[in-house]
Amino acid sequence: MRNLAVLEPVNIVLFGLVAFVVLPAPLNTVNVTGFVLVAVHLLIGGAYWAIKVRQVRARLPRPPMIAAFRWLRRLCEAALVAGFVVLAVAAARGEMGLGSVPGVLFSLLAVAEYVNYFHWQLSHQTSADLTRLLRTRRVHRSHLYLDMRAHRD
């Protein structure tokens, strides 16, 4: 959990460096929008794992500030809708081309991160999660989803 709390924000920096420095993708509307969408989701994911670590270490009955994630879920949903409106407008204006591929991929990754955190666990970094996936052969509800459901205020 501690690794995830650190790695999610680190991934923002890595994705930005790869996309905008190594490639370098143009700083157009599509690429910046997609990058911002995925960055927001990774920040929220890192924040969740940080509070989960705090809960476990302090042996708290519930993750601190878990109620804030209900609001953050709505924020993420609104951001995804707004982001896809921006992408649709850019496409309608003919601004989407090969140089916009990173932004489209970032937008799709943001959707995957939204699902991974707020609904179904799509990524399995721990051996326990991977073992459960292999044993049951199906995805399970995400840890954040389960915490939000268990700790309704």
Side-chain angles (χ1 to χ4, degrees):
M1 285 186 287
R2 186 180 58 226
N3 288 342
L4 292 171
V6 172
L7 288 178
E8 295 294 55
V10 167
N11 281 335
I12 297 168
V13 175
L14 292 175
F15 288 162
L17 286 173
V18 168
F20 299 113
V21 176
V22 174
L23 285 180
L27 289 173
N28 62 27
T29 303
V30 175
N31 290 338
V32 171
T33 299
F35 179 75
V36 168
L37 287 174
V38 80
V40 165
H41 284 83
L42 290 171
L43 276 176
I44 291 169
Y48 169 68
W49 289 116
I51 68 165
K52 194 66 179 169
V53 166
R54 184 163 177 237
Q55 176 196 12
V56 170
R57 282 189 177 162
R59 296 186 177 141
L60 301 172
R62 58 187 278 151
M65 300 174 20
I66 191 67
F69 285 87
R70 282 182 192 72
W71 179 81
L72 290 170
R73 177 180 168 187
R74 298 295 176 228
L75 173 74
C76 288
E77 290 166 351
L80 288 171
V81 170
F84 281 100
V85 168
V86 168
L87 296 181
V89 169
R93 290 184 177 168
E95 298 172 10
M96 298 253 279
L98 197 53
S100 297
V101 169
V104 172
L105 294 176
F106 281 142
S107 298
L108 294 173
L109 180 57
V111 171
E113 288 292 348
Y114 169 78
V115 171
N116 183 55
Y117 276 108
F118 292 105
H119 297 284
W120 299 96
Q121 184 179 354
L122 302 178
S123 63
H124 298 80
Q125 286 92 1
T126 68
S127 60
D129 287 338
L130 191 54
T131 300
R132 181 180 65 171
L133 177 67
L134 294 173
R135 186 182 75 246
T136 63
R137 295 188 188 126
R138 65 180 184 90
V139 294
H140 295 85
R141 286 296 190 170
S142 70
H143 296 283
L144 176 54
Y145 175 91
L146 295 172
D147 274 338
M148 288 191 319
R149 188 177 70 186
H151 305 291
R152 293 182 179 151
D153 290 329

